Amino acid sequence: MATIITARFNWWLFAVLVVLSAAPALGLVVEARRPDREESDPAPGRSSLRPGAGLPPPVGTRVFTGRAECLHQLIGPEAARATAGPLILAITGLGGTGKTELAARATRELTARYPDGQFWLELRTYAAAESRMRTAQALRLLLNALGVSPDPQMTGALALSRVWRSATAGKKLLVVLDDVDHADQVRPLLPAGQTCAALVTSRHALTGLDPDIAVALDVFSQDEARTLANRILERTGHPDPSTATVIAASYRLPLAVRQVADLKAANPGVRLSDLLARDDRAISEATASVGLSVRSLPAEARLVLRRTANYPGSLISPEIAAVVADKPLRTAQALLADLYHHGLLLPDRRVGYRMHDLVRAAAQGAATARETGRERAACDDRLFRYAHAVASEATRALYCADDVAMPARNDVQNLRVAPPHFPSTGAALAWLDDQHSDLLAIARRSVAQRSPCTWRLIYQLEYYQRLRGFYDEIVDLHSQALRLTEETGDLLGQAGMHQNLGLVSMRTGNYPAARTRFQRALDLYAATGNPTGQAEIHHELHHIDCWLGDLASARVHAEAEFQFAQAGGTLIDLAAAHVDRGLVDRLEGQHDGAHRHLSTSLHLYEQAGQPRGIATAHRHLGLLAADVGEHVEAHTHLDQAMARYLELGDILNQADTHIGLAILQRHVGDLDAASHHASRALDLSGSVSHWRGQAEAHHELATLAQTRGRHDAAARHRQEASAIYERLGIPTHHG
């Protein structure tokens, strides 16, 4: 799948230039936040990162030959022997020798041996800086794919690696690390124990890794090259043994053989010598080689190749190609297919393609020579605006509401490609799981290019990253975007960045830092006259005050939130304000006022069609009914809330609802049921690092143990709860 360029073969030149490859498709998404602006984070719903689902390998090539012995080394009996630690398999070889393809084949063959999951990571060592996968990011991806949520304050690679090794102990899983440059990239990502394995690909031997089985790929023999070329020509419907023999006489690098064979198959009426003809100039740069290799392509296809080569992500979807090339979607689809048929792209497991790093580098050289800085900037601008638009659609899918970072209507209408529609929360979350690495690369490119769209895109990414625990990325991106907005004087952007940095501080239990950020955001939203932003900040400050027991201040913020929601908010903003007023009334014992506000919020959420908000209103109404002894009504509300949270996959709010049900069952004397709900709340809170939920679950378990006369257990749970409350700065328990 490479495009060879010279009739007389030069191995080193070819290695620097061509190749084909493989890479998936992108469709950007990002989740934003705040349906009802409830204090908690919805948990991952039904996404592609289910425990055991792993991270699947790429599709690979249609024709695989010449590597049977190497494959047998990787999957044969010798590869199953016990070792002191995880089995380490290594594939090395020059670019274009087929390392990724062999790794993908081996991964599929090893599925039965590693039933707990296969986890494929593209480290993208030779990609642009913004596209490379960092170690902490890789560990978060692995942990999320395994269904493990470590402490959100844990951002260092060393600490995350310890969690990863602990989580993989006793499991049978395979981790594939594609495109590694040095052993230090590998060590933190190795799973634990003798029942796991790691398969690593690299362009050179990795000093210090000491693999159990090492496979070094070389160029093909003439017979192997002829077999591969012949099978490709047969597979594409143009059998031509004589041409296969000619190809094999000059080309032995597997990627070269593939690309020349594909080039011939795409041009059945043209002689191979004419396809490869060139002038007598010495070819010394990747730019020149790619120009020759795509000689038979239409001009539009060359443009798409150049533009997608500069795309910072790895997944090339028709939508992305249309956006960066500024072409209609149907045209982009046809041109991508043309590039695929010429051996320049391979399909991935998702809808779209990927591109080998050598092809990308060579095509980027061609783009530098042929395109002006203004053209490249315009291409980036379209990409950033499309990413922002898709992120905003994901926000609507999740919360049925807009926020301060939504794109202007004209920005969306002026895009060549309409943002996709997400039919459900689960669909949006699954896409985000698949696309996060590429979205992160786009956001980093946006920062580097100082795009005015930067803070809006980063703002929308924050909720998903917080949900999945990518706190280091949140802080890094938002800090950079904040500096950019300060330099440009963008007050609204500064407010959004302070707000999201405050949310990270609040989620990780640093309430003083959160309050400082929120106060700064509130001042900036006030300066811009943005009522929605002011309402959201008062909402967050209200919750901090409730947790810290300052109900007088919490009421001030709830009333201010209500005023701003009335002044310029949506039905959902108004509903959230009623919830917060009702919560303060309930905590102060004003039951009639609490019932009035919470009933109004339920009605408004139903009007707006906001499922999570409806569930939140039911949960608070259930807690209120339990407070006044209306146990049947309390059970009805809490059951309705739980059913909706289960449907939404909202683990964090499920945990809080279990706590409410535990208190209710204790009140009616069913201690077994109460213990079940409290234990379930503790498990769920732990799975999403919901520290306040864990503390409240321990508090309830202590109360239940004391009631049963189990004083040692009660003391243990009280100690656990106190330690968490102290860590969060909460002086006492507030139900």
Side-chain angles (χ1 to χ4, degrees):
M1 294 327 214
T3 320
I4 206 37
I5 313 320
T6 136
R8 289 178 301 176
F9 192 72
N10 179 318
W11 298 113
W12 296 105
L13 170 62
F14 187 81
V16 175
L17 41 113
V18 215
V19 336
L20 142 56
S21 144
L26 155 38
L28 295 186
V29 166
V30 217
E31 271 190 77
R33 161 199 13 282
R34 321 178 252 286
D36 49 34
R37 288 176 290 140
E38 172 63 337
E39 72 269 22
S40 57
D41 299 326
R46 298 175 294 277
S47 81
S48 62
L49 296 183
R50 299 182 303 276
L55 300 167
V59 172
T61 59
R62 298 164 298 172
V63 177
F64 180 74
T65 185
R67 298 300 189 196
E69 183 178 344
C70 296
L71 181 60
H72 179 72
Q73 285 182 261
L74 296 169
I75 68 173
E78 184 70 10
R81 75 180 192 279
T83 63
L87 182 74
I88 300 179
L89 312 172
I91 305 172
T92 58
L94 190 67
T97 51
K99 300 182 297 297
T100 298
E101 175 62 21
L102 178 59
R105 297 277 172 166
T107 300
R108 287 190 283 273
E109 293 289 338
L110 291 169
T111 298
R113 193 177 299 173
Y114 300 101
D116 291 325
Q118 296 78 47
F119 300 80
W120 183 286
L121 288 179
E122 295 179 27
L123 299 186
R124 305 199 71 199
T125 293
Y126 298 98
E130 65 263 22
S131 305
R132 297 170 196 158
M133 186 172 292
R134 300 171 186 177
T135 301
Q137 179 190 351
L139 285 163
R140 284 285 181 186
L141 283 172
L142 290 169
L143 287 165
N144 287 333
L146 196 61
V148 175
S149 298
D151 183 341
Q153 291 183 313
M154 188 182 296
T155 58
L158 184 60
L160 288 169
S161 181
R162 285 196 292 265
V163 176
W164 166 244
R165 290 183 59 79
S166 175
T168 56
K171 295 186 181 295
K172 295 181 178 180
L173 52 81
L174 172 66
V175 177
V176 185
L177 306 176
D178 191 28
D179 200 15
V180 171
D181 186 47
H182 51 82
D184 289 343
Q185 290 176 284
V186 176
R187 293 191 187 96
L189 307 179
L190 290 175
Q194 299 177 346
T195 57
C196 295
L199 174 56
V200 179
T201 75
S202 178
R203 295 185 185 180
H204 51 79
L206 299 171
T207 304
L209 186 60
D210 192 22
D212 296 285
I213 294 178
V215 174
L217 300 187
D218 201 348
V219 297
F220 276 164
S221 67
Q222 187 167 341
D223 286 345
E224 289 171 332
R226 180 170 55 250
T227 300
L228 176 58
N230 198 42
R231 288 188 58 184
I232 290 173
L233 293 171
E234 289 176 349
R235 175 70 172 76
T236 54
H238 301 96
D240 190 344
S242 61
T243 295
T245 300
V246 172
I247 293 173
S250 298
Y251 310 115
R252 308 288 174 76
L253 191 69
L255 193 55
V257 175
R258 287 185 180 279
Q259 191 157 21
V260 175
D262 280 339
L263 184 62
K264 180 65 177 73
N267 298 272
V270 182
R271 291 182 303 176
L272 183 63
S273 58
D274 292 335
L275 290 172
L276 299 178
R278 62 180 181 88
D279 57 34
D280 292 327
R281 292 179 306 158
I283 301 175
S284 57
E285 297 182 4
T287 299
S289 66
V290 166
L292 290 170
S293 69
V294 298
R295 172 172 300 211
S296 62
L297 290 175
E300 284 189 321
R302 296 177 197 167
L303 173 67
V304 170
L305 180 65
R306 294 196 305 270
R307 295 281 175 83
T308 54
N310 275 317
Y311 168 58
S314 64
L315 311 181
I316 303 172
S317 67
E319 290 79 9
I320 287 299
V323 168
V324 297
D326 199 20
K327 300 289 183 184
L329 183 58
R330 287 183 178 274
T331 301
Q333 289 172 325
L335 294 172
L336 286 177
D338 199 13
L339 293 174
Y340 164 67
H341 287 303
H342 280 75
L344 290 162
L345 299 174
L346 279 178
D348 196 78
R349 60 186 173 83
R350 290 159 283 186
V351 179
Y353 305 87
R354 59 189 176 98
M355 184 183 294
H356 192 285
D357 287 336
L358 296 179
V359 171
R360 186 182 298 274
Q364 285 173 339
T368 300
R370 294 183 62 88
E371 297 190 345
T372 66
R374 178 176 296 180
E375 288 173 324
R376 291 193 293 273
C379 178
D380 276 343
D381 180 64
R382 290 192 299 272
L383 176 63
F384 301 152
R385 288 190 292 113
Y386 179 70
H388 178 218
V390 178
S392 301
E393 284 304 308
T395 303
R396 291 191 177 99
L398 292 169
Y399 304 120
C400 312
D402 292 352
D403 60 36
V404 298
M406 298 299 288
R409 186 179 301 273
N410 287 342
D411 278 351
V412 178
Q413 290 175 340
N414 291 337
L415 291 170
R416 279 274 197 174
V417 181
H421 169 69
F422 297 96
S424 67
T425 297
L429 288 172
W431 200 9
L432 285 164
D433 284 334
D434 282 340
Q435 305 301 335
H436 174 246
S437 293
D438 283 359
L439 289 166
L440 190 58
I442 294 170
R444 288 170 176 161
R445 169 76 65 83
S446 180
V447 170
Q449 297 299 324
R450 300 177 58 83
S451 167
C453 188
T454 295
W455 78 264
R456 295 178 183 272
L457 172 56
I458 289 173
Y459 180 99
Q460 301 288 39
L461 273 172
E462 181 272 343
Y463 178 79
Y464 171 77
Q465 292 174 320
R466 179 157 45 97
L467 178 68
R468 288 303 197 195
F470 293 106
Y471 287 92
D472 45 352
E473 279 91 353
I474 296 173
V475 174
D476 178 49
L477 287 174
H478 280 71
S479 298
Q480 293 184 65
L482 177 58
R483 287 194 292 271
L484 179 58
T485 55
E486 288 172 342
E487 291 171 7
T488 60
D490 186 337
L491 298 184
L492 185 61
Q494 293 173 49
M497 297 302 92
H498 279 295
Q499 178 181 359
N500 282 355
L501 288 167
L503 287 167
V504 170
S505 295
M506 186 171 73
R507 179 73 163 84
T508 54
N510 190 345
Y511 294 143
R515 193 187 295 276
T516 299
R517 290 285 188 186
F518 287 147
Q519 189 57 57
R520 180 59 178 148
L522 185 61
D523 294 342
L524 289 163
Y525 279 133
T528 60
N530 190 295
T532 296
Q534 292 176 80
E536 289 184 354
I537 298 302
H538 281 296
H539 166 84
E540 306 298 353
L541 289 169
H542 156 268
H543 279 299
I544 290 178
D545 286 335
C546 282
W547 296 335
L548 297 179
D550 189 349
L551 297 184
S553 179
R555 180 173 292 283
V556 170
H557 287 300
E559 294 299 335
E561 176 190 1
F562 182 73
Q563 292 173 9
F564 286 115
Q566 280 188 314
T570 64
L571 282 179
I572 291 173
D573 294 327
L574 197 57
H578 276 292
V579 168
D580 288 350
R581 296 173 84 189
L583 176 58
V584 176
D585 280 349
R586 175 185 157 243
L587 293 175
E588 289 183 338
Q590 300 180 32
H591 297 145
D592 290 342
H595 190 273
R596 183 173 64 255
H597 285 302
L598 293 173
S599 297
T600 301
S601 74
L602 178 60
H603 175 68
L604 292 172
Y605 280 133
E606 288 174 337
Q607 263 190 281
Q610 189 6 281
R612 186 171 282 105
I614 294 170
T616 297
H618 276 299
R619 179 163 65 86
H620 285 294
L621 283 166
L623 295 172
L624 175 62
D627 287 347
V628 298
E630 296 176 355
H631 297 147
V632 174
E633 182 180 347
H635 219 302
T636 299
H637 281 300
L638 290 172
D639 284 347
Q640 289 192 57
M642 183 65 78
R644 290 184 181 273
Y645 288 140
L646 285 168
E647 184 179 349
L648 292 166
D650 189 336
I651 295 175
L652 191 150
N653 272 316
Q654 289 174 41
D656 285 347
T657 307
H658 275 297
I659 291 171
L661 286 165
I663 295 170
L664 176 62
Q665 295 294 356
R666 175 164 54 84
H667 286 170
V668 300
D670 191 341
L671 300 186
D672 288 341
S675 294
H676 166 75
H677 284 297
S679 297
R680 184 63 179 147
L682 183 60
D683 290 342
L684 291 171
S685 295
S687 74
V688 292
S689 301
H690 176 24
W691 293 104
R692 182 177 53 79
Q694 292 177 61
E696 293 182 2
H698 278 299
H699 178 90
E700 182 58 24
L701 285 166
T703 302
L704 288 165
Q706 189 70 38
T707 303
R708 293 174 182 268
R710 299 171 181 171
H711 302 299
D712 289 345
R716 187 174 64 253
H717 284 298
R718 276 197 298 270
Q719 186 176 7
E720 292 283 355
S722 296
I724 297 174
Y725 284 135
E726 183 177 356
R727 172 183 176 177
L728 298 178
I730 299 177
T732 183
H733 172 69
H734 297 285

